[in-house]
Amino acid sequence: MKKICTVMLLALAMVGPAYAGSVRVSWQEPEKFTDIRPTNESKIGFQERVIKEFDRIFDDLAKKLPDGYVWEITVTDVDLAGDVRPFFTPMVNDVRVIRDLYWPRMSFRFDLKDEQGKTVASGTEDVKDMSFLMRLGVASGHTSFQYEEQMLRDWFNKQQKEKIFPVR
């Protein structure tokens, strides 16, 4: 057992740092977004969780960019999949109803800069996924916003496929 632990520690020590692109996300007035409505937690707590989990999604996507690239994003609106409806019993809070007519949407501005700080891509996007319930692909499972995560992954992969964003 001692030998296995030693070998594992040596193997970890020999692995170099993983270099990739990075991201800077800012959120423009999230309290005014179309839908960041909680069902069973406080409004502020839910908003903070949404921001934290979306920051993680953007960070995962930025890792697919070449070393030294910086992706700057300003999120201007979020409309989560589903719709929050009141549940009329004293024991249960509101519920988020997921149906195909309540698809996820997100609006943001972005700038992608290379290692010298030169802008290589920029734009304003209104991303939506009207067929989110028909997808076979599953998001990473790192967040509780699987539909929105898959929508952003699809958008990002399209940017790389069309050579708007470079591939690592």
Side-chain angles (χ1 to χ4, degrees):
M1 181 68 174
K2 191 174 180 182
K3 199 177 222 179
I4 292 173
C5 288
T6 304
V7 170
M8 288 178 69
L9 285 173
L10 285 172
L12 285 173
M14 289 195 279
V15 174
Y19 294 101
S22 62
V23 67
R24 288 186 219 135
V25 183
S26 60
W27 296 81
Q28 183 178 311
E29 301 181 287
E31 63 279 354
K32 294 183 180 179
F33 287 176
T34 301
D35 177 18
I36 298 187
R37 293 178 47 209
T39 55
N40 60 355
E41 57 191 290
S42 74
K43 188 174 184 175
I44 301 234
F46 184 69
Q47 181 179 313
E48 288 172 355
R49 184 167 67 85
V50 168
I51 289 171
K52 181 180 176 186
E53 291 191 32
F54 274 86
D55 284 349
R56 187 177 316 139
I57 293 167
F58 286 122
D59 190 52
D60 286 346
L61 293 172
K63 290 175 184 173
K64 296 180 177 183
L65 295 169
D67 301 346
Y69 275 67
V70 177
W71 187 24
E72 297 173 350
I73 302 166
T74 302
V75 179
T76 56
D77 193 24
V78 172
D79 187 354
L80 298 173
D83 189 40
V84 175
R85 302 281 178 86
F87 202 81
F88 298 105
T89 67
M91 299 301 288
V92 179
N93 294 327
D94 295 345
V95 295
R96 182 169 289 275
V97 177
I98 304 292
R99 293 186 47 204
D100 57 357
L101 70 137
Y102 306 124
W103 58 81
R105 293 182 272 212
M106 178 179 269
S107 299
F108 56 90
R109 294 185 305 273
F110 72 91
D111 285 306
L112 179 63
K113 298 179 180 179
D114 65 14
E115 58 276 356
Q116 284 83 34
K118 179 183 171 195
T119 299
V120 295
S122 66
T124 301
E125 293 289 336
D126 293 310
V127 182
K128 61 186 172 189
D129 187 358
M130 295 172 72
S131 59
F132 73 105
L133 286 176
M134 297 180 194
R135 298 207 175 273
L136 295 176
V138 178
S140 70
H142 298 303
T143 72
S144 53
F145 302 102
Q146 65 180 0
Y147 302 120
E148 294 79 6
E149 180 180 357
Q150 190 61 52
M151 173 185 72
L152 290 170
R153 287 186 183 285
D154 290 345
W155 175 84
F156 187 89
N157 291 337
K158 181 181 177 197
Q159 302 308 303
Q160 286 192 314
K161 187 181 222 179
E162 294 178 359
K163 304 206 184 311
I164 296 168
F165 284 15
V167 178
R168 181 168 180 220

